Amino acid sequence: DALAPWLARVAHRCAVRARRARRAFAALPDVPASPPPDSLDLHLDDELDRLPERYRRPLVLCYLHGLSYAQASERLRCPTGTLCGWLTRGKELLRKRLARRGVAVPAGAFAAYLGGLGAAAAAHHPVRLITTAAVAFAAGDHSAGPPAAIAHGVLTMMRVKRGLLFTAGVLAVLLIGSAAVFAADPPKPDAPKPAAKAEPKTDAERLNGTWLFDNYRMARGSRLGEVWTSVVTIADGKFSITRVYESKKPFTGTFTLDEANKAIDFAVDEFDLTPVGMPAKLPKTTVPALYKLDGDTLTLALAFELDGKRPTDFATAKPRDILLTLKRAPKEFKAFPKEVTVKAVGPDGTPAGGVVVGGYMHHNKRFELTDKDGQPLVIELTGVSAEELEKQLARLPDSKQLKDHIRATHTPPPGVVRDPDTGWTMHDAKTAGADGTVTVKFEGLRFATVIARDPAKKLMGVASLSPWRVQAGEVTVTLQPECRVTVAGTCTEITKGGGKVDDHFNSYAQTADGQRLAFSGSREGKLEYLLPPGEYALDVYGSEAMGRKTAKLTVPKDQSEYAAPPIDLPATGLHKLIGKPAPELTGVAGWKGEAVKLADLKGKVVLLEFWGYWCGPCVQAMPVMFDLHDRFKDDGLVIVGIHVDVDGEVSTAKVLDEKIKGFRKELWKDRDLPFPVALVSGKQLENDARGKLADAYGIRGYPSTVLVGRDGKVRSKFHARDAKSAFDEMEKLLKSGK
């Protein structure tokens, strides 16, 4: 997963070095000419190299490496919507940084430029040419050429460095040996003994020192990945946290204790997250919290809100409740290890050689889709050859991303292992040696779980990780007999009135402390998992009509099959609104176009389009809304856009115009928004005003379109992403008179 982004960074440094060594670079044949001074190619790789990992890796995978969104989201183990958000923010951050270098590019043109940075563009670009050659070089292709010469030069340099390191190592051994001889001399009888340190008496004194994260939980799930390399330092009422959200600047502040009530108040300094691509600037404020200090374990409970109140207990019941667990770092701790050794052992404690060790599992036996004629199409993945699969794919509408995703699931790429018998796929997979061990990068463990599986013996083990637990550089996973767990998803709020659940059940199996282990989904609510005995949690949610629920799961011992109690999901706010008056448009900070009220639109069919300039699918789908407006505006259709901004930044039409300027030119054929747009704006950490209107309609993702009938009541969600189907549906609705 990390090879392509890592190679892009290495290739950038190689190209810079080659460019500086002008004579050597000029002597190599067929080296592409340097780009003009104002060229994007001259600056893109410099700025891409400086981007935070969370934005750099998706950009490299999707644009330089050519992966689809589905493939990249699987590699990064995140939802596709999250990936789109990272890509959108990464592109905007990259574009702004290029603008500071004097290379100003409209957003639409920049997106088109990035879209062309595949293999075709590599032939005329030194960095991407070197990247391609480096992959071939690593695979054994040592053919001559400029990139190969540069790669050879780098390897030669590395061998020289290894020689220097060896010499330094010998010198270090000699110095250590001398020190050992010197230390062997007996101390003088009259040498004074150091005075024993007084034991700390107060909690404030006991807090002093270096701490590492053992848990960081917000509501349902773990957020340890955001602080995976962070170190907390406390000294005399002051604190400092390094590498928060990958920021180079530490998060700092002071605190005061009320030891009698175990209360702590953090006075945090201003923390600017914009350098790492997050559109937020945390102001200087005070955060009240509870604390527990039990030996070398510190537990904190607080709310992720600037005006939050002090919690009354250490539960995480509300969406913004945070629970932090810190462990005191060992005295010898200097830094986290570069690599960690994972050892798999069998039930008897002996090394489990040959088992597959990975970090995440995904279940998929089939794809339930619709063919070109609109008929249901089920594509089975188990027991199907590649040739048979292609015949099935030919029945699908033209969608390269979807077809590539299905192919990659059927025949996974390197580093991904699929068990054809069970349909389970393991990511970040390696095969353990005879001693049962594999070596993994410390950074690669930020998803905080390790899974080991022996499919032949049906044994499986899970280890829940944390920075504190792996700081010693070793992890042990004990295998046990695996169990196939099944659970049914239901939604009685929809079915009790005779309704049908036309939604997808999605679920994550988590460790007891909130680390995600595996994903399973089903349209019929038939969810299943492979798990060893133990305590877990199931986080189950719907795509649109259903809400979310987390339930505890105990997998019993000595059972190969276990049917867990069914999980009944609540209906979402949108489903509950069907047949009821549409909530009025309140909390609007401003309008682009004339302001409207839903009460004044009775007798019209209304589409409420929830979107944001920051959402790639939103701006790409907007031309369909333009066409609907043009075709049906005189037949009783009114479209009202509801723009939900990122963090209180779009409160006027002037600001929105600036944000969409590039999209208007490049994607919308120089068209402006032809219908009124309500601007919903608010600071996320202050009052979340920006989300109140979306919450009132139960919006779960963007873009979302809500249909309001002529009587002013909510009818359904309107699927308006495909022009033909949207036109056909709207014609039927308008003819029905409803």
Side-chain angles (χ1 to χ4, degrees):
D1 296 353
L3 179 61
W6 178 80
L7 272 177
R9 179 161 279 181
V10 171
H12 171 258
R13 285 157 172 73
C14 293
V16 170
R17 178 167 296 164
R19 196 159 54 219
R20 288 172 180 166
R22 293 179 181 275
R23 291 184 181 178
F25 196 58
L28 296 172
D30 302 321
V31 174
S34 298
D38 59 346
S39 169
L40 270 176
D41 280 348
L42 183 65
H43 304 289
L44 176 67
D45 292 287
D46 283 343
E47 290 300 344
L48 188 62
D49 188 63
R50 291 182 173 90
L51 277 183
E53 282 293 301
R54 75 166 62 206
Y55 303 119
R56 192 176 66 82
R57 290 186 66 186
L59 287 170
V60 169
L61 289 174
C62 290
Y63 293 111
L64 296 187
H65 203 48
L67 268 63
S68 67
Y69 285 6
Q71 291 171 320
S73 62
E74 278 199 9
R75 294 280 183 94
L76 298 175
R77 291 186 296 186
C78 67
T80 305
T82 301
L83 175 78
C84 291
W86 286 344
L87 285 171
T88 301
R89 292 179 182 176
K91 285 187 287 187
E92 184 63 16
L93 182 63
L94 195 56
R95 195 169 68 88
K96 289 180 178 178
R97 292 186 175 186
L98 288 168
R100 288 200 294 265
R101 286 175 171 246
V103 184
V105 189
F110 188 55
Y113 170 79
L114 289 176
L117 294 181
H124 303 290
H125 190 284
V127 173
R128 288 179 278 284
L129 186 62
I130 293 167
T131 305
T132 305
V135 175
F137 197 88
D141 180 4
H142 298 168
S143 56
I150 295 172
H152 178 75
V154 173
L155 292 176
T156 303
M157 176 197 69
M158 291 173 68
R159 283 194 290 269
V160 172
K161 283 189 174 181
R162 283 199 294 270
L164 292 174
L165 287 172
F166 175 76
T167 305
V170 173
L171 181 59
V173 169
L174 293 174
L175 290 173
I176 292 170
S178 302
V181 172
F182 179 78
D185 292 337
K188 296 179 180 179
D190 57 348
K193 294 182 179 180
K197 292 184 178 179
E199 287 294 323
K201 297 180 180 179
T202 65
D203 284 352
E205 292 175 316
R206 283 192 283 267
L207 286 176
N208 289 335
T210 302
W211 301 79
L212 307 177
F213 281 93
D214 191 41
N215 197 5
Y216 170 15
R217 184 173 184 136
M218 179 185 287
R220 301 179 183 88
S222 171
R223 307 287 287 269
L224 266 177
E226 296 171 2
V227 291
W228 190 252
T229 57
S230 299
V231 176
V232 182
T233 304
I234 301 176
D236 302 326
K238 298 179 181 179
F239 73 89
S240 174
I241 309 176
T242 63
R243 297 295 299 274
V244 177
Y245 296 106
E246 300 176 5
S247 173
K248 294 181 180 180
K249 181 182 177 183
F251 183 62
T252 58
T254 62
F255 64 89
T256 57
L257 295 179
D258 177 357
E259 297 193 20
N261 297 303
K262 299 301 177 184
I264 184 169
D265 292 295
F266 293 99
V268 300
D269 297 331
E270 182 181 87
F271 191 55
D272 189 0
L273 287 167
T274 53
V276 296
M278 298 181 67
K281 197 174 194 178
L282 305 183
K284 190 172 183 178
T285 188
T286 300
V287 180
L290 289 178
Y291 79 93
K292 286 191 297 188
L293 185 57
D294 184 10
D296 289 335
T297 301
L298 171 64
T299 307
L300 298 165
L302 60 146
F304 191 63
E305 306 220 5
L306 296 186
D307 55 354
K309 296 180 180 179
R310 193 186 315 278
T312 57
D313 54 39
F314 290 87
T316 54
K318 299 176 183 177
R320 294 185 180 276
D321 286 350
I322 289 178
L323 187 68
L324 300 174
T325 304
L326 302 171
K327 297 276 191 178
R328 191 181 300 276
K331 291 182 179 179
E332 63 274 13
F333 176 81
K334 300 296 182 185
F336 290 113
K338 299 289 185 184
E339 295 181 331
V340 176
T341 299
V342 179
K343 183 176 184 179
V345 298
D348 58 356
T350 59
V355 303
V356 181
V357 179
Y360 182 73
M361 294 180 70
H362 179 271
H363 186 247
N364 206 335
K365 280 189 174 181
R366 64 184 61 86
F367 284 90
E368 301 162 357
L369 304 166
T370 303
D371 66 12
K372 293 178 180 178
D373 300 323
Q375 299 301 313
L377 174 62
V378 177
I379 297 180
E380 297 287 347
L381 298 177
T382 302
V384 176
S385 67
E387 292 77 15
E388 293 172 325
L389 180 68
E390 289 302 321
K391 292 179 182 178
Q392 296 290 316
L393 294 180
R395 294 177 55 188
L396 288 175
D398 293 333
S399 174
K400 185 176 184 301
Q401 282 191 351
L402 175 60
K403 292 180 180 179
D404 286 347
H405 173 60
I406 296 173
R407 291 186 186 105
T409 305
H410 179 266
T411 309
V416 181
V417 175
R418 185 171 186 272
D419 182 356
D421 295 329
T422 63
W424 279 100
T425 300
M426 186 179 290
H427 299 260
D428 303 325
K430 291 184 176 182
T431 302
D435 60 354
T437 67
V438 299
T439 302
V440 297
K441 299 290 185 183
F442 174 79
E443 287 273 7
L445 295 174
R446 63 171 59 243
F447 292 100
T449 54
V450 167
I451 303 171
R453 185 168 182 259
D454 186 336
K457 297 181 180 178
K458 296 190 180 301
L459 296 175
M460 189 177 183
V462 170
S464 183
L465 311 179
S466 73
W468 182 81
R469 282 173 245 176
V470 298
Q471 48 85 22
E474 295 181 349
V475 174
T476 299
V477 187
T478 302
L479 277 69
Q480 304 177 68
E482 69 183 18
C483 178
R484 179 176 175 265
V485 179
T486 57
V487 58
T490 62
C491 184
T492 55
E493 282 191 74
I494 294 177
T495 59
K496 66 182 178 182
K500 182 181 178 182
V501 178
D502 187 17
D503 197 358
H504 206 90
F505 290 83
N506 306 283
S507 63
Y508 287 99
Q510 301 177 335
T511 61
D513 52 2
Q515 315 290 2
R516 287 181 175 177
L517 288 171
F519 174 85
S520 176
S522 167
R523 187 171 290 279
E524 292 84 16
K526 299 176 181 178
L527 307 170
E528 69 171 84
Y529 288 97
L530 287 179
L531 294 169
E535 299 295 327
Y536 303 92
L538 289 182
D539 179 18
V540 186
Y541 62 97
S543 300
E544 292 181 1
M546 298 178 296
R548 196 169 203 142
K549 183 178 288 186
T550 301
K552 291 183 178 180
L553 171 66
T554 301
V555 178
K557 294 181 179 179
D558 304 321
Q559 282 189 220
S560 59
E561 301 272 345
Y562 172 64
I567 297 178
D568 188 13
L569 297 183
T572 62
L574 177 58
H575 181 82
K576 294 177 181 178
L577 279 177
I578 293 176
K580 297 180 181 178
E584 191 53 82
L585 305 180
T586 57
V588 178
W591 285 85
K592 178 172 172 59
E594 294 294 327
V596 298
K597 290 185 178 180
L598 295 183
D600 298 333
L601 297 178
K602 283 192 177 180
K604 302 280 189 180
V605 174
V606 179
L607 290 182
L608 301 177
E609 173 74 349
F610 288 84
W611 70 291
Y613 82 88
W614 41 268
C615 165
C618 295
V619 297
Q620 290 172 2
M622 193 58 75
V624 176
M625 303 306 296
F626 294 171
D627 293 342
L628 281 169
H629 169 81
D630 295 342
R631 170 66 180 81
F632 298 108
K633 65 179 179 179
D634 297 327
D635 298 329
L637 173 66
V638 175
I639 298 177
V640 180
I642 300 175
H643 184 275
V644 183
D645 74 5
V646 176
D647 198 27
E649 57 180 353
V650 182
S651 57
T652 67
K654 182 179 179 181
V655 176
L656 180 61
D657 283 338
E658 183 62 29
K659 295 292 185 182
I660 64 175
K661 182 169 59 176
F663 304 129
R664 257 200 323 255
K665 182 177 178 62
E666 304 295 332
L667 299 177
W668 299 351
K669 299 180 180 179
D670 288 322
R671 284 202 66 175
D672 197 4
L673 293 160
F675 42 75
V677 178
L679 306 178
V680 181
S681 180
K683 290 285 186 180
Q684 179 182 4
L685 297 181
E686 289 180 356
N687 50 35
D688 212 15
R690 67 185 189 130
K692 287 183 179 177
L693 187 55
D695 289 343
Y697 279 89
I699 300 302
R700 302 289 300 278
Y702 300 90
S704 287
T705 310
V706 178
L707 174 67
V708 180
R710 298 181 190 273
D711 57 0
K713 295 180 180 179
V714 174
R715 292 297 173 188
S716 66
K717 190 169 183 177
F718 186 81
H719 298 279
R721 306 307 148 215
D722 174 72
K724 184 180 183 306
S725 60
F727 271 46
D728 292 345
E729 184 66 19
M730 184 53 63
E731 282 185 341
K732 293 177 184 177
L733 288 168
L734 292 172
K735 287 179 180 179
S736 71
K738 297 181 180 180

